Amino acid sequence: MCGIIGAVAQRNVVPILLEGLRRLEYRGYDSAGLVVINKGLQRVRSTGRVAELAAQIGRQKTHGHLGIAHTRWATHGGPTEDNAHPHVSTNSIAVVHNGIIENHEALRTRLKSLGYDFASETDTEVIVHLIHFYYQASRDLLVAVRAAVAELQGAYAIGVVSAEAPHQLIAARRGSPLLIGVGIEENFIASDVSALLPVTQRVIYLEDGDIADIGLLGIRIFDAEGRPVERGEHVSELSADMAELGNYRHFMQKEIHEQPRAIADTLLAGVTTHSVLPGIFGPQAEDVLGKINGVRILACGTSFHAAKVAEYWIESLAGLPCRAEVASEYRYRNSVADPDTLILTLSQSGETRDTIDALIQAKKLGHKHSLAICNVPESALVRASELKFLTRAGPEIGVASTKAFTTQLVALFLLALVLGRLHGRVSVAQEKSWLDQLRELPGLVGQALALEPEISAWAERFADKHHALFLGRGAHYPIALEGALKLKEISYIHAEAYPAGELKHGPLALVDKDMPVVAVAPNDTLLEKLKSNLQEVRARGGELYVFADQDSHFSEQDGLHLLRLPSHAGPLSPIVHTVPLQLLAYHAALCKGTDVDKPRNLAKSVTVE
Ligand code: AGP
């Protein structure tokens, strides 16, 4: 949560900072602000979106060659202008911060006793006063930042500038992401590479505890012990236009439509005609995956739903016990750990606090092996895991996760195949046949996308509803969960998902003519059972919206609306059935006029507990 960017250059950095903020806005959008050094500190802040900040800056004609900027997701203190970053101390030092300072109350009391006045309710403000305090003694910004961060408990990524050092940008991180962008006689910092793509693709990822002293011509990095260190430079594979909207109305719509490409790219990662190379999960993968005796998956939100699908795949294809658990629950539980059970973490961002801390807890409990499936290279989760697989979804900007989910599912299916082969459950011929089916997947997803006009018509009927039920069975139950989550997070229609067989054990009481019931109804072995469950709904006057396969027997009748997806895709069917539910949520949100890409109260990366 919260996005930060900074720049030191020979040109005016304000347009760079604003464009960066626009690209980081998915991380939080309660308020935005910027400081540049130009004969002292010049600060502009505004509540609301980056566009409002940009308009304000346009009126004031702010410019400068060194600056930091921030887009906020409020934690401590409401989304007011006073609480917006950057925070300043005695009009000479400014700080932007992403993270949470856990000991801020004690620091605030101490700093107040030293005479500092606080202008905000944020935890961040203690950082800037603390830096100012140490700066008084040293007159050296780097030394002051080092002394200040040594006192911070919690997570931080910070950018710091001083009016007395017009070419010096200091960056530090622990627990929250921060990278340096390397330019020609200009350098940058940002929470995420996508913010810097218009100016550079050359990036250096800072490690936990690092502090960097960044100037026009040079970058010096020091580790947690204060020793100078070299951190490798990477060239990002992403391009600036990957985070552009193009002809789409919203990033969510664009990302839904990118799924055939994203799935194909993810498959290209390491699939030959006949087999999946275990090495796609890391150099030691074959050895590690061959000896594990089970899998425990830890994840949150949409990623947790992917984990639930994987339970079905890993148990049925590889014959290994597999359990998915919500990371925020697992991290505080004394679970019984089997050291040989693989800890698999799933995350689009790789910076979800609950998932990272769940991994730390699992290691503490004695689990020996870990694998992260993630969409962001060099993210904290990836770096903390023994094995890794990077999905190739490309940047996902819409807060509602779509292409990251379906590419996670592809990665999980590949993992199930590798485990199946290494544990003697999947033959060479079977593996080839699965891979042939996987290669069909982008085409099948494309056919599901072609249903958009019909789904949009359905969505109009949802717009005035307050509640909806989603039903599925087997591996499609998690898809129903995902459909309900998508609908509630972007359209604000309350939605719940149930395994269809569970309906009669309680939720059936909710069914009446005002409760639309969405059924994920693939042509699998459970279809006849599901049909009986749907009859229970119809008999109570419920209105059914059924997504069936081309090859199943269903007829449209009173109270039952039907849309047909391609013919049944076997175990890969959950991936195909996800698409219409994403479109239904998207079009319901359009009808309701909500802010699809930035739903209220949410942020893309949840880096707090
Ligand atoms: C999905 O639409 C969500 N906005 C959210 O549930 C998300 O999946 C969750 O916060 C986990 O994020 P991660 O995949 O980046 O860890």
Side-chain angles (χ1 to χ4, degrees):
M1 342 281 255
C2 299
I4 67 180
I5 180 161
V8 52
Q10 283 170 344
R11 53 179 162 157
N12 178 18
V13 296
V14 170
I16 298 171
L17 298 179
L18 283 177
E19 176 58 20
L21 282 188
R22 202 175 61 76
R23 288 163 175 266
L24 289 172
E25 208 172 14
Y26 70 89
R27 301 177 68 88
Y29 31 86
D30 290 331
S31 61
L34 155 162
V35 151
V36 286
I37 307 298
N38 186 354
K39 298 185 195 112
L41 286 185
Q42 290 191 6
R43 176 168 67 166
V44 187
R45 298 182 295 173
S46 98
T47 54
R49 302 294 161 87
V50 173
E52 284 156 43
L53 178 75
Q56 215 171 309
I57 285 172
R59 286 193 292 277
Q60 297 178 9
K61 306 214 182 332
T62 313
H63 68 99
H65 296 175
L66 169 67
I68 49 176
H70 185 271
T71 178
R72 179 168 187 248
W73 187 83
T75 56
H76 296 65
T80 62
E81 191 172 322
D82 281 346
N83 290 331
H85 300 216
H87 290 287
V88 300
S89 187
T90 59
N91 217 24
S92 62
I93 293 177
V95 165
V96 284
H97 167 224
N98 171 30
I100 286 190
I101 303 305
E102 287 161 8
N103 57 336
H104 71 102
E105 279 173 7
L107 290 172
R108 182 180 276 254
T109 309
R110 193 176 112 212
L111 287 159
K112 275 185 176 171
S113 73
L114 290 168
Y116 285 96
D117 287 332
F118 279 76
S120 78
E121 303 155 277
T122 65
D123 53 337
T124 301
E125 200 179 345
V126 300
I127 306 177
V128 71
H129 293 315
L130 205 53
I131 294 172
H132 181 269
F133 171 73
Y134 286 114
Y135 187 75
Q136 296 314 297
S138 65
R139 310 309 292 179
D140 181 326
L141 195 57
L142 177 67
V143 170
V145 171
R146 185 178 288 144
V149 297
E151 294 199 30
L152 303 180
Q153 287 164 19
Y156 59 82
I158 54 172
V160 188
V161 293
S162 159
E164 291 177 17
H167 303 295
Q168 187 181 32
L169 171 60
I170 304 286
R173 74 165 287 259
R174 184 182 295 281
S176 299
L178 192 61
L179 53 86
I180 298 174
V182 183
I184 298 169
E185 298 192 6
E186 55 184 19
N187 292 306
F188 315 91
I189 57 167
S191 304
D192 171 347
V193 65
S194 65
L196 298 181
L197 291 173
V199 284
T200 187
Q201 284 173 296
R202 294 165 57 202
V203 293
I204 298 170
Y205 293 96
L206 291 177
E207 295 194 3
D208 254 6
D210 281 356
I211 300 181
D213 183 358
I214 302 161
L216 281 173
L217 299 175
I219 297 166
R220 294 187 301 153
I221 304 175
F222 303 88
D223 68 10
E225 272 70 50
R227 292 176 300 228
V229 279
E230 289 288 326
R231 302 285 182 223
E233 189 180 305
H234 303 253
V235 178
S236 171
E237 287 175 10
L238 305 177
S239 63
D241 58 356
M242 285 175 99
E244 295 290 347
L245 205 45
N247 292 328
Y248 291 96
R249 216 168 140 185
H250 295 98
F251 279 106
M252 183 184 180
Q253 187 191 27
K254 177 182 181 231
E255 288 155 7
I256 290 172
H257 282 271
E258 280 174 346
Q259 289 178 111
R261 195 270 311 144
I263 290 170
D265 286 355
T266 299
L267 280 173
L268 272 178
V271 177
T272 69
T273 327
H274 295 90
S275 66
V276 190
L277 307 169
I280 60 174
F281 297 103
Q284 321 90 312
E286 185 150 7
D287 177 38
V288 171
L289 298 179
K291 63 187 182 204
I292 57 160
N293 61 10
V295 182
R296 186 184 290 263
I297 317 182
L298 306 171
C300 303
T302 288
S303 295
F304 172 70
H305 298 154
K308 292 296 288 176
V309 176
E311 279 182 344
Y312 291 88
W313 286 342
I314 290 173
E315 297 215 336
S316 64
L317 289 176
L320 289 173
C322 178
R323 180 162 162 201
E325 191 164 344
V326 169
S328 56
E329 286 298 310
Y330 176 84
R331 59 181 290 194
Y332 291 114
R333 209 163 68 73
N334 283 322
S335 112
V336 178
D338 181 332
D340 293 318
T341 293
L342 175 73
I343 292 295
L344 167 55
T345 53
L346 294 181
S347 174
Q348 185 286 129
S349 61
E351 52 175 298
T352 302
R353 188 76 263 148
D354 286 323
T355 309
I356 294 170
D357 286 351
L359 173 62
I360 293 169
Q361 163 77 347
K363 287 183 182 174
K364 224 183 270 168
L365 290 173
H367 285 276
K368 287 194 296 204
H369 301 296
S370 59
L371 161 64
I373 293 180
C374 187
N375 196 37
V376 178
E378 302 296 331
S379 57
L381 197 64
V382 168
R383 278 190 271 134
S385 303
E386 180 185 26
L387 306 178
K388 66 173 178 187
F389 180 93
L390 292 176
T391 47
R392 303 273 182 93
E396 193 181 64
I397 311 290
V399 164
S401 189
T402 53
K403 61 178 180 170
F405 178 68
T406 44
T407 53
Q408 277 173 346
L409 289 177
V410 169
L412 289 164
F413 193 80
L414 294 176
L415 178 67
L417 285 186
V418 167
L419 290 172
R421 198 178 69 233
L422 294 174
H423 290 262
R425 294 282 290 238
V426 171
S427 69
V428 172
Q430 279 166 330
E431 186 175 4
K432 177 172 182 316
S433 145
W434 292 126
L435 289 178
D436 289 342
Q437 293 182 46
L438 266 169
R439 277 186 274 270
E440 302 285 315
L441 198 53
L444 297 176
V445 167
Q447 289 175 45
L449 287 169
L451 292 172
E452 186 163 9
E454 289 92 334
I455 295 171
S456 157
W458 276 15
E460 285 172 27
R461 307 171 70 116
F462 279 67
D464 64 343
K465 302 290 184 213
H466 297 290
H467 308 276
L469 273 181
F470 284 69
L471 303 178
R473 295 200 70 141
H476 294 82
Y477 162 52
I479 301 306
L481 284 169
E482 176 58 10
L485 177 64
K486 286 286 91 84
L487 189 69
K488 60 189 149 195
E489 80 182 319
I490 59 165
S491 77
Y492 316 147
I493 296 170
H494 170 230
E496 294 303 332
Y498 284 92
E502 189 65 9
L503 200 61
K504 57 189 174 295
H505 298 290
L508 196 55
L510 295 170
V511 171
D512 63 12
K513 62 177 181 21
D514 293 322
M515 173 72 88
V517 180
V518 180
V520 184
N523 192 13
D524 61 12
T525 50
L526 290 169
L527 181 61
E528 290 312 315
K529 308 265 177 221
L530 177 77
K531 280 182 174 174
S532 309
N533 304 139
L534 300 187
Q535 287 308 327
E536 295 158 10
V537 172
R538 281 193 62 213
R540 272 88 189 165
E543 194 148 6
L544 280 165
Y545 293 83
V546 179
F547 291 104
D549 290 341
Q550 200 68 60
D551 49 358
S552 63
H553 300 291
F554 255 113
S555 50
E556 204 152 353
Q557 31 190 301
D558 274 356
L560 189 149
H561 310 275
L562 186 67
L563 276 178
R564 287 190 189 279
L565 278 82
S567 294
H568 185 51
L572 297 173
S573 167
I575 302 177
V576 182
H577 272 268
T578 300
V579 176
L581 302 187
Q582 297 169 338
L583 288 169
L584 182 65
Y586 173 70
H587 285 281
L590 274 192
C591 294
K592 293 198 68 181
T594 59
D595 191 342
V596 173
D597 285 333
K598 300 185 188 79
R600 69 185 179 203
N601 308 338
L602 302 182
K604 184 78 182 158
S605 300
V606 186
T607 56
V608 294
E609 272 199 68

